[in-house]
Amino acid sequence: MVELVAFVAWLIVGRSSWFYIDEWDFIAGRKAGDLGDLFRPHNGHWTTLPVLTFRLLYWTFGLRTYLPYRVVIVVLYLAAGALLLVLMRRTGVDPWIATAAASLFALFGTGWENILLPFQIAFMGSFAFGLAFILLADHDGPFDRRDWLGLLAGLLALMCSGVGLVMVAAAGAVVSMRRGWRLALRHVAPPAAAYAIWLLAVGHEDSGIGHFDAVAVTRFAATGLRAAFEALGPTAAFGVVLAVVLIVGLGLAVAQRQGDRRSELAAPAALLAGALMLLVITAVNRAASAPTGRASLATCRSSAR
């Protein structure tokens, strides 16, 4: 019910929006039948899947309406919310708490760019496919059909944006903690090899990494982390409370799960580490050019989302 309400609400909220900046690269600057256009990086990201999606939407609807483009990003965003709910329930989170957290994600107004702007299918695609990879690989036993499907999801995550790198790493960490490093290597090596081939072939032409220093990266990452918590509530104090709850909750979760039950925490631990990794990667890419003061906070808040 929450996702249905969110679907309708986000379509209404974004009804006055129209094509903008980056989307024109996929609409006017690339062709689905040109391998160079499909694999050429966009701001350092491997975006083959978003390019194909935009080309299909353009071929079907043209520029007559923006609605189909917006439907795709809203559906993808809410699908990621549903996957988060499944993941939380699998890790033993209380149904009401899991539903409340997933509902907060579905109605996360501060992150409106990721819900209303169709170009965000690049980042949200990596996140959603990455969550699917983790859920498919997070099981006991030998390598089976679920793992093959997980590898496919991991490859699709990489073909959406650089966020896929973090999600594949998180999936590998989950498998390593639950099933051992050998199976983790089988999950990480194939998508990593595919990404390395793309990077060596064309991806290195637009790395997006400039000069930076450790102080700037640390400041940027710290600001982004603070902004992420502040964005979850109406005031900065609420963000502090959430940070305390997270730390205390992690301690209680570890204490309550003994023996084999510790494996339930593999996915949330890997995603938490992945979130911090993504923040550091973003800091490395943007810290040198980040503005200061209030503008810096706005930049970091956008990156944190």
Side-chain angles (χ1 to χ4, degrees):
M1 177 60 72
V2 172
E3 292 221 329
L4 178 60
V5 171
F7 176 77
V8 175
W10 287 121
L11 289 183
I12 293 175
V13 170
R15 64 187 181 279
S16 61
S17 58
W18 194 244
F19 299 96
Y20 78 107
I21 312 176
D22 297 274
E23 293 173 353
W24 290 109
D25 177 35
F26 293 171
I27 292 173
R30 308 204 186 205
K31 297 179 180 179
D34 187 315
L35 290 179
D37 288 345
L38 285 178
F39 290 95
R40 185 175 70 252
H42 180 89
N43 291 336
H45 296 277
W46 182 6
T47 56
T48 298
L49 198 55
V51 169
L52 287 173
T53 301
F54 264 84
R55 296 310 305 170
L56 177 61
L57 289 168
Y58 177 73
W59 179 77
T60 306
F61 303 101
L63 301 179
R64 297 184 300 273
T65 173
Y66 199 41
L67 179 61
Y69 300 83
R70 294 196 296 115
V71 167
V72 171
I73 181 58
V74 172
V75 169
L76 185 60
Y77 183 86
L78 295 179
L83 290 171
L84 280 174
L85 177 60
V86 173
L87 189 147
M88 285 186 285
R89 291 293 298 123
R90 182 179 290 186
T91 56
V93 177
D94 180 85
W96 284 105
I97 296 177
T99 302
S103 299
L104 175 62
F105 179 86
L107 300 168
F108 189 43
T110 309
W112 64 269
E113 294 102 327
N114 291 326
I115 313 171
L116 297 183
L117 304 182
F119 184 79
Q120 296 303 98
I121 61 173
F123 299 129
M124 289 311 305
S126 289
F127 183 56
F129 284 121
L131 288 176
F133 189 8
I134 291 173
L135 287 169
L136 288 165
D138 185 24
H139 65 85
D140 296 322
F143 202 93
D144 59 22
R145 184 176 63 177
R146 288 171 293 180
D147 298 296
W148 287 110
L149 292 173
L151 284 175
L152 175 60
L155 178 61
L156 294 176
L158 291 175
M159 294 173 68
C160 287
S161 74
V163 176
L165 289 170
V166 174
M167 300 306 294
V168 169
V174 170
V175 177
S176 180
M177 287 185 281
R178 180 157 184 167
R179 302 165 66 189
W181 69 268
R182 289 184 175 85
L183 280 176
L185 186 61
R186 290 188 64 180
H187 283 80
V188 173
Y195 187 84
I197 293 172
W198 171 82
L199 186 63
L200 291 173
V202 294
H204 66 279
E205 298 174 359
D206 183 17
S207 66
I209 298 178
H211 173 74
F212 66 92
D213 60 64
V215 174
V217 169
T218 302
R219 184 184 301 114
F220 189 100
T223 303
L225 187 62
R226 183 175 68 252
F229 279 97
E230 291 178 356
L232 292 171
T235 64
F238 189 81
V240 174
V241 172
L242 285 179
V244 173
V245 170
L246 174 63
I247 295 172
V248 174
L250 285 174
L252 291 174
V254 172
Q256 292 171 357
R257 289 166 172 79
Q258 302 297 328
D260 294 339
R261 286 203 64 200
R262 288 283 175 87
S263 62
E264 293 180 354
L265 300 177
L271 285 173
L272 178 59
L276 296 176
M277 182 192 306
L278 180 60
L279 186 57
V280 171
I281 292 173
T282 304
V284 169
N285 278 274
R286 299 190 179 185
S289 59
T292 58
R294 293 182 179 273
S296 178
L297 179 60
T299 302
C300 293
R301 180 174 286 129
S302 178
S303 300
R305 288 194 294 269

